[in-house]
Amino acid sequence: MAEKMTRNTNDIIQIENLKKHYGKVRAVDGISLCVRKGEIYGFLGLNGAGKTTTIRMLLGMVRPTSGSCYLNGKKIHSGVHDLWNNVGYLVEIPYSYPDLTVHENLEIINRMRFISNPRALDSIVETFRLGPYQDVLAKNLSHGNKQRLGLAKAMIHNPDILILDEPANGLDPAGIVEIRELLRDLAFNKGVTIFISSHILGEISKLATRIGIIHQGCLVREITAHQFDHFLQKKLIIGAWDNKAVQKRLSDEGYTANFTEKGDLEIKDEEAINHPENIVRMLVHSNLPPTLLKVEEEDLETYFLRTIKNNGNVK
Ligand code: ATP
């Protein structure tokens, strides 16, 4: 029986048992997931995990070895064109015409997309704060501003679906916050469905409503933003003039504090992490005031190392 080309579903993005093998390399090895309307789905994985390959298949740029992708219920294949009016995307280094200015680059996209609203271009320039760079040639932009131009091009036509591969690459911290706010506004206030990849756990955890972790081509875990807090290991880092004395004092109070590589102390006790003020009070009363106190959350690399160490496998 011929495979169905459309399906009736509330899921805006669907990936079904998707595989891409390059010879012996299993770049993507059987991924299935769904993204509902207005969700921000964070696709998180270390370098080489298979994020870009999945996104390229989702956009019809790479033919899967097997499995299927659907956007708005329509199956992705090389001949599907009408779909792209509703989709904006940014895949790795954004492509621009290097010898044209920012304004000219956006004008071309505007025409290619048949956008009739005369305000669209000004509005996107304003949104991405590209005003001061309008007359700069794309090739002369900083990496961060190239990324902004890429995002502006992806969003100029107000798409319902945004697919972004590592959009925070090259942006400075202020730029990352700006983009995060913008994406949240699009999803939560305008119902745009966003699929965003990253290898930076801290960044994705602040933005996504749901996170899928990809490792060696497989989706190893899916969690909601609410579950995230319990999922990552945290520790309380303490520093003082006399850390040995602090360690002894903490031990007297029943806390296990170990030395970090930098010579500070770390405590993994949940009570201490949730109420560092009690630790501070106790140390100040003992004449051992802390000079450093912070709660640290593990990053993706540490998470993988810990899980692999514990289970021998993350799957
Ligand atoms: P990064 O964050 O580094 O871009 P990624 O998670 O996006 O990593 P992919 O670029 O999808 O990972 O690569 C997944 C695996 O597939 C890697 O081992 C990569 O070397 C391999 N791969 C990707 N494209 C090809 C190709 N055209 N030919 C052979 N191997 C490939």
Side-chain angles (χ1 to χ4, degrees), residues 20-23 25-28 43 45-56 62 92 165-166 169 197-199 214 217:
K20 182 70 192 180
H21 297 172
Y22 294 104
V25 178
R26 295 168 172 238
V28 175
F43 198 47
L46 300 175
N47 289 336
K51 303 180 295 292
T52 302
T53 308
T54 305
I55 287 183
R56 286 187 183 276
V62 165
E92 281 186 337
D165 193 11
E166 305 259 4
N169 263 356
S197 84
S198 176
H199 64 281
I214 176 176

